[in-house]
Amino acid sequence: EVQLVESGGGLVQPGGSLRLSCAVSGLTFSNYAMSWVRQAPGKGLEWVSHITSSGGSTYYADSVKGRFTISRDNSENTLYLQMNSLRADDTAIYYCVPKKGGWFDPWGQGSLVTVSS
Amino acid sequence: EIVLTQSPATLSLSPGEGVTLSCRASQSVSSYLAWYQQKPGQAPRLLIYDASNRATGIPARFSGSGSGTDFTLTISSLEPEDFAVYYCQQRSNWPPYTFGQGTKLEIK
């Protein structure tokens, strides 16, 4: 069974930083591209960032480009999202998801990030 | 960026009824469209991929159809556990991957 366990969320002031981690088990992590998708309270889903299986290529939504950095450690089966210059509109649950067969499946329970003073 | 527009925003139905949800893309996405279900307090779950293929473990009452710009998700007979929010998502032209704004199925 695939498990994705996100951690590192919490309350941070505007302008602050956080690093999210996602520990993956139950699949060969190094074979899968991964994404972060977020969901603001009461809102829909927004794709944030994507990294290829090797980590050689990364992609970002315009809303986070230049502030967020996605990375991975294939030896530790872990995905990361470094978030800098956080703003109130970054408040959301952040999900890490593998791209299986081209689609996001399965999803972890997510990590809540709250940006507030 | 491809915009996905879902309709209606909310549907009120009773268990046992059938329902069709719509997702329209701002340009062709071929068959590169998926549907996800999200229940309150839970993470999304993949239901349908490549427009018409059920994901592993998804009941046969769920079906998807369409190609190009117009897609539908049909639930043949609603079970109590089907009342949730449904999102469509495209991977035809990325980045960015884009999602529709969601359709909420609520119990009448």
Side-chain angles (χ1 to χ4, degrees):
Chain A
E1 180 191 2
V2 178
Q3 287 200 323
L4 305 117
V5 180
E6 298 94 339
S7 60
L11 175 64
V12 61
Q13 292 189 336
S17 298
L18 276 179
R19 188 174 86 152
L20 301 182
S21 300
C22 174
V24 181
S25 60
L27 56 75
T28 306
F29 181 68
S30 59
N31 287 351
Y32 292 91
M34 299 288 297
S35 274
W36 288 96
V37 177
R38 68 184 180 184
Q39 186 170 36
K43 303 297 184 183
L45 302 169
E46 179 190 17
W47 170 79
V48 172
S49 183
H50 183 85
I51 188 168
T52 55
S53 57
S54 67
S57 295
T58 57
Y59 308 86
Y60 299 92
D62 287 344
S63 58
V64 306
K65 201 172 292 182
R67 300 187 298 122
F68 289 12
T69 303
I70 191 172
S71 62
R72 64 192 297 160
D73 184 338
N74 284 347
S75 67
E76 295 290 334
N77 293 346
T78 303
L79 179 72
Y80 300 101
L81 186 67
Q82 177 67 44
M83 303 184 293
N84 299 331
S85 302
L86 283 161
R87 312 185 303 220
D89 62 358
D90 294 317
T91 294
I93 297 172
Y94 286 74
Y95 298 99
C96 75
V97 281
K99 190 176 176 183
K100 282 179 67 181
W103 301 104
F104 298 138
D105 178 52
W107 298 56
Q109 283 307 300
S111 184
L112 177 62
V113 172
T114 303
V115 184
S116 175
S117 54
Chain B
E1 172 177 328
I2 294 177
V3 176
L4 299 178
T5 303
Q6 292 186 240
S7 60
T10 306
L11 272 172
S12 298
L13 294 164
S14 300
E17 291 190 87
V19 63
T20 297
L21 282 57
S22 174
C23 176
R24 177 164 290 178
S26 59
Q27 64 190 77
S28 177
V29 298
S30 185
S31 294
Y32 296 121
L33 189 108
W35 292 91
Y36 298 85
Q37 176 194 64
Q38 187 177 32
K39 298 178 183 179
Q42 296 186 17
R45 175 175 71 148
L46 179 66
L47 288 179
I48 301 288
Y49 64 93
D50 293 342
S52 61
N53 297 291
R54 277 189 302 277
T56 302
I58 302 304
R61 64 181 182 273
F62 291 92
S63 63
S65 65
S67 66
T69 61
D70 291 303
F71 299 86
T72 58
L73 172 69
T74 298
I75 310 173
S76 59
S77 178
L78 285 163
E79 297 287 340
E81 62 267 28
D82 298 338
F83 291 90
V85 180
Y86 293 84
Y87 295 96
C88 57
Q89 179 238 324
Q90 67 83 24
R91 68 172 183 92
S92 172
N93 186 2
W94 69 276
Y97 295 104
T98 52
F99 293 87
Q101 81 279 17
T103 291
K104 182 179 182 180
L105 271 185
E106 60 181 27
I107 299 178
K108 184 186 289 185

